[in-house]
Amino acid sequence: SEMCIRDRLLINGIEMNKIYNGRAQWSNWGGLNDVLRNQEFRNGLSPSNVTFGGLLGSTNINTRASEQRPGVRISYSSSNRSYQHRIMSTYSSGMLKNNWAYTISGSRRYGNEGFNEATSYNAYSMFTSVEKKINDKSSINFTGIFTPNRRGKSSPNTQEVFDLKGIKYNDYWGFLNGKKRNSRIKEVNEPILMLNHYWNFSGSTSINTNIAYQFGKIGNSRIDYNGGTNPSPTYYQNLPSYFLRKEDFEGAYTKQKRFLNHGQIDWLRIFDANMTNKNSGLENAYVLYEDRNDDKQFTINTIVTSDVNENISLNGKVEYKRLRSQNFAKVIDLLGGDAYLDIDPFGATEEEKQNNLLNPNRYVTKGETFKYNFNLNSDIIAAFVQAQFNYNSIDFYTALYLTSTSHQRVGVYQNGGFSQNSFGPSEKKKFINYGFKTGATYKFTGRHLLDLNAAYLSACLLYTSDAA
């Protein structure tokens, strides 16, 4: 549920959590530490001026050019975790005499291998923020973020695999032409464009209007094998435990020895199987493909903050989000073969084996979509209102939240296993969610506080209390 996003990440008052899983895609702004330092963090259910928040709080990153620290910063760092090297450079002008301010920043992170084996990393990060002060009460700011990145994934390992191969082991790679080649590559390329207008309507009231557009792609590669055996070295039939369950101690010893001496993807066997099939007039046994999400998301909101008096303030927000998402699989390497048969070998009948009944038993080549293909259309309208009361010994607040969400799936393929409802537009699903939260902070001293918070959400129920 939209209401149950655990923690909300915002940039200039615009929520960046992905609609389909509620998570923030941190790599969309990674490598820009210099310009993302201005952050307001709200813990748990505590109130925020820009969002109702999530169960684990909220973070709002401010990228206004006039509020960046003026000057030049150049840095280099080295690491043995995700990447090996990072170089970063930033320049901020501060507010100039002509009422313009700008910030530019760029970085490069790279490495042939991180802490885990074959986890290559290659990321570029570019940022610009330009602000024009229109008058003493109004200014407008443009922010552009582009951080294309590509990294090799590391495998989650069972205790058996960990005991045999150690903490750095990664089963996603194998040697090819003398180099480590990782079969699981994640590539993220989603630029962000933002326009923010700040207006001090009066001495006590401010209105902040924000527009954002994000587009691009996320790709996750892997091997498909509808004509061959599972190529994973940690496939359960390749491990000693499979034979120990059958009390085949000789087989267990043989598999353990092989796994210890090899234990990586055998790319040569994969290429050999495809080339053998090719010479015999058969389709590929294996193919390398990527699961793709190509999103286009538009967001617009208005945030109002008003100080009724020195003790009472009101906050409100109205927001609209529109997502148009393409989801499909795409062939990226034929691995020595000519074509790959687009079927599901686990289908019980000939019809259920077809990934697309509109084009059955289709052969695909490099760059073509296969397996699945559908679009997701989502629209969200949300609003919240909040009142905060601040006094010498006690602070308290109350907030209300309401959201209307609609989702619709549009199938491009007619899947054989779901032939009646996989093709074309689905019924549009609509949801109304709401939430209420309240809380108080009692100040025993300036360093001894007691926080009490409670919330009721249409899909979640939470009470929290803590002392600091």
Side-chain angles (χ1 to χ4, degrees):
S1 169
E2 161 74 11
M3 286 298 302
C4 280
I5 295 177
R6 294 174 298 172
D7 52 334
R8 295 181 184 269
L9 191 285
L10 302 92
I11 298 179
N12 296 336
I14 297 176
E15 291 186 9
M16 306 305 297
N17 300 71
K18 290 290 187 181
I19 291 177
Y20 57 82
N21 62 11
R23 297 181 178 179
Q25 184 67 50
W26 288 89
S27 56
N28 279 334
W29 49 85
L32 297 171
N33 307 52
D34 279 348
V35 293
L36 302 181
R37 298 185 187 280
N38 293 336
Q39 299 184 10
E40 179 187 89
F41 173 70
R42 296 292 182 172
N43 185 44
L45 293 168
S46 59
S48 166
N49 290 345
V50 295
T51 180
F52 181 82
L55 299 180
L56 297 181
S58 64
T59 300
N60 183 43
I61 301 173
N62 182 358
T63 66
R64 287 184 68 174
S66 63
E67 297 186 11
Q68 298 288 334
R69 187 179 67 181
V72 178
R73 294 177 293 282
I74 299 175
S75 65
Y76 167 81
S77 61
S78 182
S79 170
N80 70 342
R81 292 172 64 88
S82 297
Y83 53 83
Q84 294 174 315
H85 309 281
R86 185 191 74 181
I87 185 169
M88 182 166 57
S89 178
T90 301
Y91 173 72
S92 296
S93 68
M95 186 58 71
L96 302 174
K97 293 181 179 179
N98 59 3
N99 290 329
W100 284 88
Y102 66 91
T103 296
I104 54 175
S105 183
S107 75
R108 169 86 190 281
R109 293 164 292 160
Y110 60 96
N112 292 326
E113 190 172 72
F115 179 78
N116 294 100
E117 299 169 344
T119 51
S120 60
Y121 202 101
N122 189 19
Y124 294 87
S125 301
M126 289 158 278
F127 171 94
T128 183
S129 180
V130 180
E131 182 175 353
K132 170 62 176 177
K133 182 179 178 182
I134 300 173
N135 52 48
D136 290 339
K137 293 186 176 182
S138 178
S139 67
I140 191 167
N141 191 96
F142 168 79
T143 299
I145 300 174
F146 184 38
T147 59
N149 56 88
R150 178 183 173 89
R151 64 176 179 87
K153 292 184 177 182
S154 59
S155 60
N157 299 323
T158 63
Q159 188 66 47
E160 179 185 13
V161 172
F162 175 83
D163 292 340
L164 290 171
K165 299 290 283 188
I167 194 172
K168 292 187 177 183
Y169 173 70
N170 179 13
D171 72 30
Y172 291 157
W173 70 273
F175 280 107
L176 182 63
N177 297 326
K179 296 182 179 180
K180 294 178 179 179
R181 180 174 182 180
N182 195 321
S183 65
R184 304 280 187 112
I185 300 292
K186 181 168 187 176
E187 186 171 0
V188 180
N189 189 331
E190 293 188 303
I192 302 170
L193 305 175
M194 249 179 224
L195 194 63
N196 311 98
H197 180 251
Y198 303 91
W199 182 24
N200 292 323
F201 180 74
S202 66
S204 60
T205 302
S206 63
I207 302 175
N208 176 205
T209 302
N210 310 293
I211 300 174
Y213 182 62
Q214 184 174 16
F215 58 97
K217 68 174 185 178
I218 298 178
N220 291 276
S221 70
R222 62 186 301 166
I223 299 172
D224 200 45
Y225 49 94
N226 67 21
T229 58
N230 192 325
S232 171
T234 57
Y235 180 54
Y236 76 102
Q237 293 185 11
N238 294 331
L239 296 175
S241 58
Y242 174 72
F243 296 87
L244 290 175
R245 284 195 297 269
K246 300 187 294 183
E247 296 187 353
D248 181 358
F249 301 108
E250 181 180 354
Y253 174 77
T254 300
K255 285 295 183 180
Q256 177 172 317
K257 186 176 180 181
R258 176 174 176 77
F259 184 64
L260 289 173
N261 292 335
H262 301 284
Q264 303 300 151
I265 289 178
D266 192 343
W267 287 108
L268 293 180
R269 184 177 67 84
I270 291 173
F271 272 82
D272 181 65
N274 283 344
M275 294 181 72
T276 299
N277 284 8
K278 175 181 176 181
N279 293 333
S280 301
L282 301 174
E283 68 274 2
N284 282 34
Y286 301 91
V287 72
L288 186 69
Y289 78 98
E290 65 176 348
D291 293 299
R292 282 277 294 274
N293 303 105
D294 290 11
D295 290 353
K296 296 178 181 178
Q297 182 168 315
F298 172 79
T299 305
I300 182 170
N301 66 41
T302 296
I303 304 169
V304 179
T305 301
S306 180
D307 296 326
V308 178
N309 54 45
E310 62 179 9
N311 302 116
I312 303 172
S313 64
L314 301 176
N315 314 107
K317 180 179 182 180
V318 178
E319 183 172 60
Y320 169 67
K321 288 190 283 188
R322 179 182 188 270
L323 172 68
R324 298 297 180 263
S325 176
Q326 295 176 285
N327 302 266
F328 56 91
K330 178 181 178 181
V331 178
I332 56 178
D333 196 329
L334 290 168
L335 303 175
D338 272 344
Y340 189 66
L341 182 60
D342 183 16
I343 63 168
D344 178 7
F346 297 101
T349 66
E350 188 61 32
E351 178 178 296
E352 290 179 357
K353 288 182 178 181
Q354 300 301 322
N355 290 322
N356 186 10
L357 290 171
L358 302 177
N359 195 350
N361 295 316
R362 169 174 167 251
Y363 290 95
V364 294
T365 58
K366 183 178 180 180
E368 293 187 308
T369 60
F370 75 121
K371 288 179 76 71
Y372 64 92
N373 193 344
F374 67 92
N375 299 325
L376 176 66
N377 301 328
S378 299
D379 295 273
I380 299 175
I381 300 175
F384 93 94
V385 62
Q386 178 176 259
Q388 300 182 67
F389 305 85
N390 300 290
Y391 298 96
N392 290 334
S393 298
I394 190 171
D395 299 337
F396 58 95
Y397 72 94
T398 185
L400 295 170
Y401 182 81
L402 181 67
T403 177
S404 172
T405 303
S406 70
H407 298 301
Q408 185 175 43
R409 181 189 186 276
V410 182
V412 180
Y413 287 178
Q414 184 180 16
N415 186 277
F418 306 90
S419 59
Q420 301 303 312
N421 56 11
S422 57
F423 177 69
S426 70
E427 177 187 354
K428 185 176 288 189
K429 299 295 184 180
K430 296 183 179 181
F431 308 90
I432 300 295
N433 288 309
Y434 57 89
F436 167 78
K437 70 176 183 178
T438 187
T441 300
Y442 184 77
K443 310 166 194 175
F444 294 101
T445 67
R447 294 183 296 176
H448 185 193
L449 312 175
L450 175 65
D451 286 337
L452 295 173
N453 298 280
Y456 179 82
L457 310 178
S458 57
C460 306
L461 180 64
L462 179 74
Y463 298 95
T464 68
S465 64
D466 55 89

